[in-house]
Each structure stands twice: as C-alpha cells, then as structure tokens.
C-alpha cells in the first residue's frame, strides 16, 4: 500500500514500500517467515491501509492524548480488542496498535476551552433586591403611631426575629436546589416552605399579641411584616424582583406621602387598607410564581438539607438581633429611628450582594491569571479589601442620608457614633455573608453570637457595664467583630481551593 493516501499522517519512511505485517504467533517455531512487499501507484484505487484509515478517524483523540494508554482506552471503548487488532490491523494487541497510532499522529493537544465566568454583577438588580427588603420599613414607620406602646413594639420584634431566620433558611434550601439544577424541586419546596413558615409566623405573633395585650393593630402589622419578608424571600430566589416591586410600589408611595404630610389621622385608614392590599398582592404573586412546578429531580426535602440550612437560619437570628439592639440603643431625636438606622442598613444589603458578586468574579478570573498560590492569595486579599471598602462607602452614604432626613434638631456626636455603629455592623454582615458564600460558617456564626450577647448587655444590662458612653461601647463591640471577621476572611479566602 502507499502511505501517500493520507500524507499529513504519514511519518518519515512511510512513503516507501512497506512490508506486510505478519500477525505475531502465526509462524511455526524454527520456520523462517518471508517478508513480501506490494506496491501501488499514487493513483491506485485500492482500499487504503486500514491503520492509516483508523489514524485518520481517530486523529482528534490521538492528537490530544496524554500517552499511549489513553489511545488504547479509546480503542477499547470503540470495540477494538486484541483479536480485532490482530485480524484487522496485523498487530499483536491493542497496545501495539495504540503505539503505532501514537507514531502516526504526533501529539498536538489543543487549548482547553475556557469555562465562562458564572459571576456577573448586575448593579440595578442588586440595588433593587436590597431596596425590596429595606423600603418596606417605610410602611412600618408610617403605621408606627398605631403601635407606639411597649407591648406593640415587642410583637414587632418577635415577628422580625422569627421571620428573618425562617426566610434565611428557606432561601438556602431554594438556592441549594437551584444550584443542583432541580428547579422543580426548588419551586415546590419554596411554595410549601412559604405556606408553613407564614402560618407559624402568624400563629406565634397572634399568640404573643394576645399574651401581652398588644391589640389587633399591632398583631396585623407584625404578622404582615413577617409574611412579606417570607414572600419576598421566595420571589427574590425565583428572580421575580420586578414583579415584587410592582406589587409593593403603591404601598411604598402611599406610606412615603403619609410620612411627608406628617401622618395625618384622616389618611391612616386609607393607608392601612392600601398596605394590606399590597401584602395580599405579594401573597398572590408567590402563589402564581410557584404554581407551575416542574417535576423534582432530587426527591423531597432531606434531613441533610435541613441541617445545612440551620446555620443560615441561626445567622438570621443574629443579624436581626443585632439590628434591633443597635436600633433600640440609638439615642435619636427622630420619632422613627428605624427609618434612618434599620432601613439604610437593609438598603445597603443590595450593595453587599453587588460587591460579593464582584469579588467572586474577580477571584474566579484570578485563578486563570496566576500561577502561584502565594500570588493568588495576595491578590485575593487585595480584592477582598477593595470589595469591603466599596461596601462601607455605600453603607456610609446611605446612613448619612438617613440621619440627615430624619434628625429633628441637627446631627449630634451621639448620632455620628450611632451611624458609625450601623456602618460597621453592615461591614461585619457583609464579611459574614461572604464567608458563608464560600461555605465557611462556624467562625462567622460564633463571633456573631458573641457580639450580640455583649451588645445586648451593654444596651439593656446594668448601666455600670456599659461604661460612661454606651454608644461608644457599641462602636467598640461591633468594630471588634468587624475586625475579627476581616482578619479571618483575609486568611481563609486566600486559599485557592475555596474559589474553584
């Protein structure tokens, strides 16, 4: 045969007439085998050499193979065994055939296709998601005169402390199923989880309101607040941010106007009815978005999933508790401290999500561009500092705007310190969420519990424990938590193994 039939695959010497192969083991012992040669002209129409034809068919496999064993494995996968190698190609076995193919097709490994980066910051979406959690605080502030007593405030606190962790755990389960390409299971679990957690929240709030004689107005406001947070969680996980905004916009507009006008009594009932109608719209929207569920690919909720969601739920208690303690301990001249403290902090979570996505994209790209782990660790820590600085800037601007809008008699040193506490709390929450995003929960949760306990003692404990300036003590506690998390995150997130 002429090797010129596949010239680009022919190694040096194959263009000459070549001896026909004699299958190994066919010659009798002591009998000489005679080699015969046959030649064909370049224009011959005879069938090409089967080895060269096979090399042409397996060119891509052979060119990208690491060694002969990989070619042999590919041959066996195509059904070429030792017997076929002897009968069809005149070689001893599959490994001999693989060696021959390795000689015929020189290695030319192609460049691996780069995996697209899954982390793409969407600033408008991130800001909107933060607003949808923070702006409903305007409704609470607008309806606050109806629930101004201690018992009523207690019911509101209970609703927040219950709905926030339930929402965090529900969000984790939903994101976990979506991350495993089980959208049908995620939708079904979110629907059932919303119904269950909403029922629990409403029942507990009603029981507390009855126990402390808070009145029906406080019970409805607190229960509605809890149901909204749970419904918003479901809709945000499913990517229905704009639908949620459309359902919530009338209530936000009405409550904003009500606050600007000084909360006139004649407008109280129309505002309440409108807020209740928007809440019902959110519930209906949740029902519609979770109605047409695909078949679940991973079965019902497992105990392992519940156990994995527990740290996120507990962290929700810590975050809500710290927010309430700091808001409760703020010396303010405003009638609604939550408007300038809790709402700006909640709004800043949009900036936190934005910067977390930016950081994950940055480290994903660093994995491609760096060759040494020490270099990656240094650059990853630098990116973390940049993300943290960007978030703190956004939180400081939002808190300053909140203080300026709601402070009645000007900005005092106490308000400045309280604002600094709120900003540092936001920074600590951002770092804790970043660690959780990489599966590092223990230190963030343990230090958060410790910070909550110390801060609660400072605000609600004996005056001697708080020192001469309770607000300054709060700054110290939250600042220490922030510093510990920053140092820990810098050490842990420098490991390339967490970013793969």
């Amino acid at each position: 045969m002429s090797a010129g039939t596949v010239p680009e695959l022919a190694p040096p010497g194959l263009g000459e007439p070549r001896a026909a192969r004699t299958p190994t083991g066919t010659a009798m012992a002591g009998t000489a085998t005679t080699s015969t040669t046959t030649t064909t002209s370049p224009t011959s129409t005879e069938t090409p050499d089967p080895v060269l034809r096979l090399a042409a068919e397996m060119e891509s496999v052979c060119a990208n193979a690491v060694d002969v064993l990989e070619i042999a494995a590919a041959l066996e996968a195509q059904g070429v065994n030792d017997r076929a190698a002897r009968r069809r190609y005149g070689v001893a076995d599959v490994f001999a055939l693989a060696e021959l193919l390795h000689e015929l097709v020189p290695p030319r490994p192609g460049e691996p296709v780069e995996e697209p980066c899954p982390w793409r910051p969407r600033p408008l979406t991130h800001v909107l998601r933060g607003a949808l959690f923070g702006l409903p605080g305007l409704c609470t502030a607008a309806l606050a005169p109806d629930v101004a007593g201690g018992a009523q405030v207690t019911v509101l606190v209970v609703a927040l402390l219950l709905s926030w962790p339930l929402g965090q755990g529900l969000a984790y389960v939903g994101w976990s199923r979506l991350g495993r390409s089980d959208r049908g299971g995620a939708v079904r679990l979110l629907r059932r989880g919303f119904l269950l957690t909403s029922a629990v929240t409403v029942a507990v709030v009603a029981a507390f309101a009855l126990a402390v004689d808070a009145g029906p107005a406080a019970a409805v406001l607190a229960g509605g607040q809890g149901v909204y947070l749970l419904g918003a969680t479901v809709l945000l996980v499913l990517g229905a941010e704009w639908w949620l905004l459309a359902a919530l916009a009338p209530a936000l507009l009405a409550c904003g106007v009500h606050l600007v006008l000084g909360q006139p009594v004649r407008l109280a009932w129309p505002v309440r009815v409108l807020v209740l109608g928007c809440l019902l719209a959110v519930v209906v929207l949740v029902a519609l978005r979770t109605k047409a569920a695909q078949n679940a690919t991973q079965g019902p909720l497992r105990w392992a999933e519940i156990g994995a969601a527990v740290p996120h739920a507990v962290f929700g208690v810590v975050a809500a508790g710290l927010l309430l303690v700091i808001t409760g301990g703020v010396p303010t001249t405003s009638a609604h401290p939550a408007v300038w403290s809790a709402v700006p902090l909640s709004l800043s979570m949009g900036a936190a999500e934005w910067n977390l996505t930016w950081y994950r994209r940055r480290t994903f790209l660093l994995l491609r561009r760096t060759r040494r782990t020490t270099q990656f660790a240094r650059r990853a820590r630098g990116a973390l500092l940049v993300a943290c600085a960007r978030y703190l800037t956004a939180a400081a601007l939002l808190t300053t705007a909140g203080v300026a809008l709601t402070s009645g008699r000007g900005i005092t040193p106490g308000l400045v310190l309280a604002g600094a506490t709120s900003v540092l709390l936001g920074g600590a929450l951002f770092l804790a969420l970043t660690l959780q995003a990489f599966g590092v929960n223990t230190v963030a949760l343990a230090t958060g519990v410790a910070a909550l306990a110390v801060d609660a003692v400072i605000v609600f404990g004996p005056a001697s424990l708080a020192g001469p300036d309770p607000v300054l003590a709060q700054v110290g506690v939250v600042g220490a938590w922030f510093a510990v998390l920053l140092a820990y995150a810098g050490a842990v997130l420098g490991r390339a193994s967490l970013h793969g």
Side-chain angles (χ1 to χ4, degrees), residues 197-282:
T197 54
S198 296
V200 170
T201 300
V202 171
V204 172
V205 166
F208 262 89
L210 185 62
V212 299
D213 195 20
V220 171
L221 179 60
Q225 172 186 266
V227 171
Y228 170 78
L229 287 175
L230 295 168
T233 297
V234 172
L235 294 173
L236 293 181
V237 170
L238 295 178
E241 296 90 357
W242 293 101
W243 286 102
L244 179 58
L245 177 62
L248 190 62
L252 293 178
L253 182 60
C255 291
V257 171
H258 192 49
L259 285 171
V260 170
L261 295 178
Q263 297 170 289
V265 177
R266 66 180 184 278
L267 295 180
W269 269 106
V271 170
R272 294 176 198 164
V273 172
L274 186 57
V275 170
L276 181 59
C278 290
L279 175 62
L280 293 176
V282 171

Side-chain angles (χ1 to χ4, degrees), residues 157-240:
V157 169
V158 169
L160 183 61
L161 288 175
L162 185 61
S163 60
W164 204 332
L166 289 176
Q168 290 290 315
L170 188 60
Y172 172 82
V173 172
W175 283 118
S176 177
R177 285 297 181 107
L178 290 175
R180 299 199 299 271
S181 301
D182 184 15
R183 184 171 182 83
V187 169
R188 184 166 296 140
L189 290 176
L190 287 172
R191 180 185 182 89
R192 295 175 180 176
F194 171 72
L195 294 175
L196 177 61
T197 54
S198 296
V200 170
T201 300
V202 171
V204 172
V205 166
F208 262 89
L210 185 62
V212 299
D213 195 20
V220 171
L221 179 60
Q225 172 186 266
V227 171
Y228 170 78
L229 287 175
L230 295 168
T233 297
V234 172
L235 294 173
L236 293 181
V237 170
L238 295 178

